[in-house]
């Protein structure tokens, strides 16, 4: 069988509610396109029928392939597994399974690739996630771009198309804790934004827990920036400076014969404040340490239970 021009990777975790709609939208996108396309559906250890549904569609439509992971590894790792199995010769597109990223954009994305782009990353013009989540996302992306030593575009998620060479570079990157939009931006080449309206989830509920979102945010910050470590040093230096100034003031007052108050409350306040600073500092160092530990263990990124519809 000849290799497809384009691969579409879709990670799926308990997505049986949207599955039929997803397949339908993907099929009509592929039917209307003159290029050969494969869809790699990654089952991220779903507890519902998602894995069975993937095997079902792969047996009916040869364009659909499945990578079934041995357990739930999380969205970023599921995407990495899909990317590792893609056989495309030209480009790979990444979409969410809940149809928040319209598969139809494959056509204009690929158009941009033909005009010389290596990465077309989708930028959300709007979000349909509610005011609190929207402002948290807004804050996160601004914080990330201030902290990161390498610019990561605002409001761009994983939804994108990448060229074969960018795919190869991303697959070769050995980091264990993956923040794919950061890795993608790090690779470089000609990266162009594409603005789109992000739809709401087509069906079912979000598969990201609050914990999962925080993990992603932490990965974004600690994998791409050493600035938090520098921040600790700065806080330490300023603290010393403030205390030296304060102590000098007290000493001068005493030498001039003024009565110096004992100040029990302020003492407790200062101690608790700086214990907090120290604990946060240890936490920040711990974040880096944990990442180093994860990396040196050198485990594989994921474990595949089985693949369906793949030649080899
Ligand atoms: N997903 C996954 N593994 C997980 C969590 C999510 O493969 O542990 C998939 C999920 O099925 C969906 C995509 O990742 O296709 C994005 O998840 P979701 O739509 O729930 O995230 P949100 O859009 O709410 O941030
Ligand atoms: Mg979603």
């Amino acid at each position: 069988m000849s290799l497809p021009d384009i691969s579409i990777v879709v990670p799926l975790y308990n997505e049986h509610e949207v599955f039929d709609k997803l397949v339908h939208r993907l099929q009509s996108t592929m039917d209307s396109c003159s290029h050969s396309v494969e869809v790699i559906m990654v089952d991220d250890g779903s507890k519902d029928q998602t894995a069975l549904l993937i095997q079902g569609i792969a047996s009916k439509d040869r364009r659909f392939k499945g990578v079934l992971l041995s357990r739930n590894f999380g969205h970023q790792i599921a995407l990495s597994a899909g990317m590792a199995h893609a056989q495309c010769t030209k480009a790979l597109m990444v979409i969410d399974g809940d149809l928040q990223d319209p598969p139809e954009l494959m056509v204009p994305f690929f158009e941009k690739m033909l005009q010389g782009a290596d990465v077309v990353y989708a930028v959300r013009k709007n979000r349909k996630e509610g005011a609190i989540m929207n402002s948290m996302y807004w804050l996160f992306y601004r914080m990330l771009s201030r902290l990161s030593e390498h610019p990561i575009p605002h409001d761009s998620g994983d939804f994108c198309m990448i060229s074969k060479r960018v795919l190869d570079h991303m697959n070769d990157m050995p980091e264990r804790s993956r923040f794919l939009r950061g890795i993608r931006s790090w690779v470089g080449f000609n990266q162009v934004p594409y603005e789109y309206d992000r739809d709401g989830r087509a069906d079912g509920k979000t598969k990201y827990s609050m914990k999962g979102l925080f993990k992603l945010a932490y990965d974004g910050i600690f994998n791409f920036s050493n600035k938090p470590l520098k921040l600790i040093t700065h806080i330490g230096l300023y603290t010393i400076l403030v205390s030296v100034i304060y102590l000098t003031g007290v000493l001068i007052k005493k030498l001039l014969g003024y009565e110096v108050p004992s100040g029990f409350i302020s003492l407790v306040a200062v101690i608790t404040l700086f214990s907090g600073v120290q604990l946060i500092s240890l936490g920040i160092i711990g974040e880096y340490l944990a990442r180093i530990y994860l990396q040196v263990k050198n485990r594989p990124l994921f474990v595949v239970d089985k693949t369906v519809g793949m030649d080899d």
Side-chain angles (χ1 to χ4, degrees), residues 24-52:
H24 180 75
R25 293 265 298 268
L26 283 167
Q27 280 173 328
S28 48
T29 307
M30 289 190 283
D31 293 342
S32 68
C33 155
S34 55
H35 299 278
S36 56
V37 183
E38 68 170 3
V39 175
I40 298 187
M41 295 184 142
V42 184
D43 175 55
D44 189 16
S46 298
K47 294 179 182 66
D48 64 0
Q49 310 89 301
T50 304
L52 286 176

Side-chain angles (χ1 to χ4, degrees), residues 96 98 100 198 201:
D96 278 357
D98 58 357
Q100 287 198 276
R198 185 156 165 89
R201 194 172 235 286

Side-chain angles (χ1 to χ4, degrees), residues 15 96-101 129 137 198-202 205-208:
E15 298 287 8
D96 278 357
D98 58 357
L99 293 171
Q100 287 198 276
D101 312 326
E129 266 114 2
Y137 281 119
R198 185 156 165 89
D199 296 330
R201 194 172 235 286
K205 285 203 290 275
T206 176
K207 303 299 174 309
Y208 259 101

